[in-house]
Amino acid sequence: MKGLYFVTDRGLCGAKPLADCVLQAIRGGAVCVQLREKDVSTRFFVEEARRIKALMAPFGVPLIINDRLDVALAVGADGVHVGQNDMPYEIARKLMGPKAIIGLSVETWEDVERAQGLDCDYLGVSPVFATPTKTDTKEPWGLEGLARIRAFSRHPLVGIGGLDAGNAEAVVTAGADGVAVVSAICAAADPYTASRELADIITSALAKRGGR
Amino acid sequence: MKGLYFVTDRGLCGAKPLADCVLQAIRGGAVCVQLREKDVSTRFFVEEARRIKALMAPFGVPLIINDRLDVALAVGADGVHVGQNDMPYEIARKLMGPKAIIGLSVETWEDVERAQGLDCDYLGVSPVFATPTKTDTKEPWGLEGLARIRAFSRHPLVGIGGLDAGNAEAVVTAGADGVAVVSAICAAADPYTASRELADIITSALAKRGGR
């Protein structure tokens, strides 16, 4: 999980259809899309996920479903992202199978230590900075917290929370392999250009940092 | 699915723990328990379902999860109940397997006709009467609508919506095999006695109606 990671937020897309944002994000260089929905019916989520999956199929970019394994299983998504209040990781792995991509959010140092024993595909370091997009989060990790997790963890790290073109390089330098953004793409006037700019920053920061 | 069917509502239980209501409902004669949760985290729902399943294990009464297949699969529940805005029935059957109990709510005549081609285990006729418990429902079927579905459908019918000791007999006479109640047990001062009374009414009404 290395590069620009797009997490959707239908509300933040405003007048732009979510499907367009996803397409522009991928064309702009996103290497992963996480579909996140709260407060919609299961039927709505399944139908939307099915449409987004079909749309993404030609690009070979994985579709990750936030929290809802039922939706992920229903549409054959590539994986799920689970937080500490979502499905317990071990059950998620059991239900999704060994090939699924499963990301796990870490919000406390205890979460980080517990994750060390799990075969998850990446850790979502959440939130790196304070963010208005998600209000139920813990204290931000900051760049120092991210670097501390990088020094400890055996997993790829995806930073999320308050990330944009202005701080993406610093986040990679501090140890993030992936940079997850929500509003920096969803709320951009031109999601393609925004994604392209972000992807370029992240790619050159990763190159500067060297392979890991 | 013949007899008293208890659908939980944590809010309506008031000061009584939900687990107690479930236990008293079963002791009073409920033949099925449907765990319904809205607005809770997946983690909460999974942990609650696991506790309720362990509690119910000695009684041989099936645990049905409302809507959330991820929760049902996580805890190994006996089945799921899906409404028209939940997981599409065919996908639910595929994911849950042939042995699972799957109930499907029908709210319009079109739903009833479509259900005729499905191998669901029962139809939830919803709502039989107007109910304050669930506000997103369509026009009530009434006893006439229930009888009309009974004459047409090949499936067992479970009536739900505004059902209590005062109308349970009429609902069975009109064609319901199961009588689902929420507040008549959850909000009762004594859920055991309320369940017992309901179960007795339903059992004798089923006996009066004769085998079907």
Side-chain angles (χ1 to χ4, degrees):
Chain A
M1 202 53 67
K2 249 187 156 90
L4 175 62
Y5 183 128
F6 176 43
V7 179
T8 70
D9 185 315
R10 218 157 19 89
L12 286 177
C13 289
K16 301 183 292 290
L18 181 66
D20 283 0
C21 286
V22 169
L23 210 53
Q24 299 314 319
I26 293 174
R27 286 188 178 141
V31 298
C32 187
V33 174
Q34 180 188 135
L35 191 59
R36 181 161 74 183
E37 287 288 355
K38 304 287 175 195
D39 310 318
V40 296
S41 71
T42 300
R43 180 71 56 99
F44 181 96
F45 201 171
V46 166
E47 286 171 358
E48 179 182 67
R50 193 186 282 144
R51 278 195 305 274
I52 298 288
K53 186 176 179 257
L55 182 84
M56 288 172 62
F59 298 96
V61 167
L63 171 65
I64 307 289
I65 303 293
N66 181 278
D67 181 15
R68 297 290 298 268
L69 272 89
D70 49 350
V71 175
L73 292 168
V75 307
D78 300 284
V80 290
H81 183 92
V82 291
Q84 298 290 331
N85 289 320
D86 299 339
M87 185 67 73
Y89 174 78
E90 292 87 344
I91 302 179
R93 175 59 70 193
K94 197 177 149 201
L95 294 176
M96 293 291 294
K99 286 182 189 164
I101 300 169
I102 308 188
L104 174 67
S105 290
V106 290
E107 299 189 337
T108 66
W109 189 254
E110 204 192 345
D111 297 342
V112 173
E113 290 188 336
R114 214 180 308 110
Q116 195 75 337
L118 305 175
D119 61 344
C120 48
D121 295 280
Y122 68 88
L123 301 186
V125 176
S126 167
V128 178
F129 301 120
T131 165
T133 309
K134 205 159 178 283
T135 51
D136 60 342
T137 51
K138 297 257 179 16
E139 271 295 289
W141 286 103
L143 294 175
E144 305 72 22
L146 178 58
R148 201 171 147 228
I149 300 173
R150 177 64 293 155
F152 175 83
S153 176
R154 64 189 183 96
H155 295 297
L157 303 182
V158 176
I160 187 165
L163 305 192
D164 56 31
N167 55 31
E169 183 178 358
V171 167
V172 172
T173 305
D177 307 287
V179 175
V181 303
V182 187
S183 57
I185 293 179
C186 276
D190 178 354
Y192 167 75
T193 306
S195 304
R196 181 101 194 230
E197 186 191 2
L198 279 159
D200 286 348
I201 294 168
I202 296 164
T203 306
S204 47
L206 283 167
K208 235 187 269 181
R209 201 184 69 187
R212 175 157 53 200
Chain B
M1 203 51 67
K2 251 187 153 91
L4 175 62
Y5 182 128
F6 176 43
V7 179
T8 69
D9 186 313
R10 220 159 17 91
L12 286 177
C13 289
K16 302 182 292 289
L18 182 65
D20 283 0
C21 286
V22 169
L23 210 52
Q24 298 315 318
I26 293 174
R27 287 190 176 138
V31 298
C32 188
V33 174
Q34 180 187 133
L35 192 59
R36 182 160 74 182
E37 287 289 356
K38 303 289 176 192
D39 311 317
V40 297
S41 72
T42 300
R43 181 70 56 97
F44 180 97
F45 201 171
V46 165
E47 285 172 357
E48 179 182 67
R50 194 187 280 145
R51 280 195 304 274
I52 298 287
K53 185 174 179 258
L55 183 84
M56 289 172 61
F59 299 95
V61 167
L63 171 64
I64 306 290
I65 304 292
N66 182 277
D67 181 14
R68 296 290 298 267
L69 273 89
D70 49 351
V71 175
L73 291 168
V75 307
D78 300 283
V80 290
H81 183 91
V82 291
Q84 298 291 331
N85 289 320
D86 298 339
M87 185 67 73
Y89 174 78
E90 293 87 344
I91 302 179
R93 174 59 70 192
K94 195 176 151 202
L95 293 175
M96 293 291 293
K99 285 182 190 165
I101 300 169
I102 308 187
L104 174 66
S105 289
V106 289
E107 298 189 338
T108 65
W109 188 254
E110 204 192 346
D111 297 342
V112 174
E113 290 187 336
R114 213 179 310 112
Q116 194 76 338
L118 306 174
D119 61 343
C120 48
D121 294 281
Y122 67 87
L123 301 185
V125 177
S126 168
V128 178
F129 302 121
T131 166
T133 309
K134 203 162 179 283
T135 50
D136 60 340
T137 51
K138 297 257 178 18
E139 272 294 288
W141 287 103
L143 295 175
E144 305 72 22
L146 178 58
R148 199 170 148 229
I149 300 173
R150 178 64 292 156
F152 174 82
S153 175
R154 65 190 184 96
H155 295 298
L157 304 182
V158 175
I160 188 165
L163 306 191
D164 56 30
N167 55 31
E169 183 179 358
V171 168
V172 172
T173 305
D177 306 288
V179 175
V181 303
V182 188
S183 57
I185 293 179
C186 276
D190 178 353
Y192 167 76
T193 307
S195 304
R196 181 104 195 228
E197 186 191 1
L198 279 158
D200 286 348
I201 293 168
I202 296 163
T203 306
S204 47
L206 283 167
K208 236 187 268 179
R209 201 182 70 187
R212 175 162 50 202

